[in-house]
Amino acid sequence: MPSRRTVLAATAGVTAALTVGAAGPASDRDPIGLLSRMTLEEKVGQVFVSRVYGHSATAPDQVDVDANLAELGVRTAAELLARYRLGGIIYFTWAHNTRAPAQLADLSNGIQRASLQQPRGLPVLISTDQEHGAVCRVGRPATLFPGAMAIGAGGSRADARTLGRLAGRELRAMGIRQDYSPVADVNVNPANPVIGVRSFGADPDAVAALVAAEVEGFRAAGVAATAKHFPGHGDTAVDSHTGFPVITHTRAVWEALDAVPFRAAIAAGVDSLMTAHILVPALDDSGDPATLSRPIVTGILRETLGYDGVVVTDALDMAGVRTKYGDDRVPVLALKAGVDQLLNPPKLDVAFNAVLTAVRNGELTEARLDESVLRILRLKERLGLFDEPYVSPADVGRTVGARAHLAAADEIAERTTTLLLNEGPVLPLSPRTHPRLLILGADPASPTGTTGPPTTVLAAALTALGFEATALSTGTDPAPETITQALKAAGAVDAVVVATYNVTADSAQRTLVERLVEQLAVTGRPVVAVAIRNPYDVAQLPFVQACLATYSWTDVELRAAARVIAGTVEPRGKLPVPVQRADDPTRVLYPTGHGLTYER
């Protein structure tokens, strides 16, 4: 990898006095000094964070060679940076950025090189959504930790801090210096379609403690954590990706519930906060989403909560921010509201030119723009990007997926698996008494980094523990013939483990489990349910004898569930959310804090 100085020396027309990181007085690299020398176009570029397709900074995307040209008007990441002088790039799996750790490090270095070669070249703040659990962009061999609600079930600040520290080290080794995590939303609505298990739980104080601990871990690793989604997305039945959620909390309820984790994140020194595309009339009755609300972003977040770090929007291609204004108005209004970074606008050229025009015609003052650019530059300075913009390929191999990190993830997962129900008791199962197992059920689209469908992963893990386990995928909506096939297969085993995924009262998954229980009851063979996403599934399965909650269907959580089923580890997780009765949602079936252990 060429040194920083070598790259600069090879770049014609770049003088030391005008280049970040070049030799010279410290004032040449001071954010205020840098800001004073930037053109208006360069300033506008710094507030944008864009996607770009492909796994190389200098070659078109190999999967879709025309993707960048069609959406961004360029062929490569290098051309994108040359045209817009962007302050940030976000990595996505679907943009074909994240093939492997070494490739990611090369991509990150290529992006930095392309940006630094520009006149007054600035390092790029590279980001991604690596929440762990259900939402990850970088998969195996990187270490995948349990997701937020699983961490909430473990209840350990030390585990949350460890997750942030080790995950942060791995992201930093690949050149990713801003992670859009942790989720600071308090999930008090079981029907929430977009947050759910991405939240630590339903108790604001417990969520606050874990949010703060994870932020501390990321800071220790030199990565900017991002608490999201301000002012709180936990009580909605609408997904802001596809609609415009309305939060009906009063100001008093917001203060006591939603605000608590964000206050804790700020106290822990969180580097950035992400806004939500939600309407909260008690905080701003204008009808604007929080992302575009000056009363919320400036009035509450900046002035009341005293936050002076970087504020980033949620993605600007989401429906929640586009229902009231056009794509040319949204970025301008976000900046006027007090936001600093504009994340992934659907049409970058439209958004860029809209901000440029707004400053030139006086709608948005250059002084206001300077505030945001200065915050972004100061964050880059704090993260060490001016002095060390590149990463070492050797460090990737030593850090990403390190044996100690993988072991820590397994140990944390063992502290999160929650035993909700165990009549008999049925669990643990033993290879001596129940040698033949059938593992069937839902196989939703696998999160990034999993080795296969949940049934396959569970079967492999149980086989490794001494069972003869067979996997049979029945899907999230099994057809009648699939149910018949499952019932036939169940007749030849000693116990059945069913992976369930968001079971509803009228779902075919529920029918499958009920018929299995009815068939096997006469033989005394047990049916064990494993809720692989929402723990609320147990309320729809009153006929099962045992039920576990894993809160996600990643390998690390499924392997831990297998060890609990086999009794090689004790179930230690406690519900971080209440589970209401299916027949009467006003009554609680299992309260927050519920979790059984084995009686030895």
Side-chain angles (χ1 to χ4, degrees), residues 51-382:
R51 69 198 177 281
V52 65
Y53 290 86
H55 68 276
S56 165
T58 56
D61 180 22
Q62 292 183 353
V63 178
D64 184 350
V65 294
D66 296 324
N68 282 322
L69 200 60
E71 294 187 21
L72 300 167
V74 298
R75 292 172 298 173
T76 67
E79 290 181 9
L80 184 69
L81 292 162
R83 177 173 296 187
Y84 293 106
R85 310 297 294 278
L86 295 174
I89 293 285
I90 179 172
Y91 289 162
F92 289 110
T93 309
W94 52 259
H96 318 131
N97 301 137
T98 57
R99 286 187 169 185
Q103 166 266 318
L104 271 171
D106 287 343
L107 174 60
S108 298
N109 283 340
I111 284 171
Q112 299 295 2
R113 188 179 300 109
S115 183
L116 291 164
Q117 286 176 346
Q118 301 301 316
R120 271 184 298 278
L122 296 171
V124 178
L125 185 54
I126 298 172
S127 60
T128 197
D129 290 285
Q130 191 80 346
E131 296 176 14
H132 295 269
V135 177
C136 280
R137 308 301 184 208
V138 184
R140 299 171 63 253
T143 305
L144 281 302
F145 287 87
M149 192 169 283
I151 299 296
S156 168
R157 284 177 52 89
D159 284 349
R161 191 177 295 109
T162 296
L163 186 159
R165 179 170 51 85
L166 299 185
R169 284 181 185 173
E170 296 197 8
L171 290 174
R172 180 175 176 132
M174 294 179 282
I176 301 168
R177 303 299 289 274
Q178 184 178 25
D179 190 13
Y180 299 132
S181 185
V183 172
D185 305 314
V186 183
N187 197 78
V188 294
N189 189 339
N192 195 321
V194 64
I195 304 301
V197 294
R198 298 167 62 197
S199 163
F200 288 108
D203 179 86
D205 293 325
V207 172
L210 296 173
V211 165
E214 191 169 311
V215 167
E216 292 164 2
F218 277 113
R219 282 184 64 86
V223 169
T226 307
K228 61 187 186 185
H229 308 80
F230 188 83
H233 208 318
D235 189 8
T236 174
V238 175
D239 184 345
S240 53
H241 291 85
T242 57
F244 188 22
V246 179
I247 306 294
T248 58
H249 292 178
T250 65
R251 178 64 181 256
V253 169
W254 178 82
E255 291 279 1
L257 184 75
D258 304 282
V260 177
F262 291 102
R263 289 183 186 274
I266 292 168
V270 71
D271 285 304
S272 54
L273 286 172
M274 179 179 285
T275 62
H277 305 326
I278 58 174
L279 177 63
V280 190
L283 305 184
D284 178 3
D285 61 4
S286 69
D288 287 344
T291 295
L292 310 183
S293 168
R294 184 169 177 83
I296 291 176
V297 178
T298 296
I300 295 176
L301 182 55
R302 296 288 192 204
E303 296 172 358
T304 302
L305 300 188
Y307 183 64
D308 193 37
V310 169
V311 176
V312 57
T313 70
D314 206 343
L316 296 183
D317 60 349
M318 293 166 59
V321 78
R322 303 172 75 189
T323 56
K324 188 175 179 181
Y325 301 101
D327 293 333
D328 59 334
R329 296 299 300 152
V330 166
V332 175
L333 295 174
L335 288 169
K336 291 176 72 174
V339 162
D340 302 307
Q341 287 185 307
L342 304 170
L343 177 62
N344 202 35
K347 300 174 182 177
L348 181 58
D349 59 338
V350 171
F352 182 94
N353 288 319
V355 173
L356 195 62
T357 299
V359 177
R360 285 173 173 164
N361 68 21
E363 180 186 4
L364 184 69
T365 68
E366 191 164 358
R368 166 66 197 92
L369 180 64
D370 286 352
E371 291 176 10
S372 288
V373 176
L374 187 57
R375 288 191 187 100
I376 293 165
L377 294 176
R378 282 175 169 163
L379 177 55
K380 292 179 180 182
E381 179 187 45
R382 196 194 77 71

Side-chain angles (χ1 to χ4, degrees), residues 462-474:
L462 287 162
T463 297
L465 292 168
F467 296 91
E468 181 186 331
T470 302
L472 174 62
S473 174
T474 52

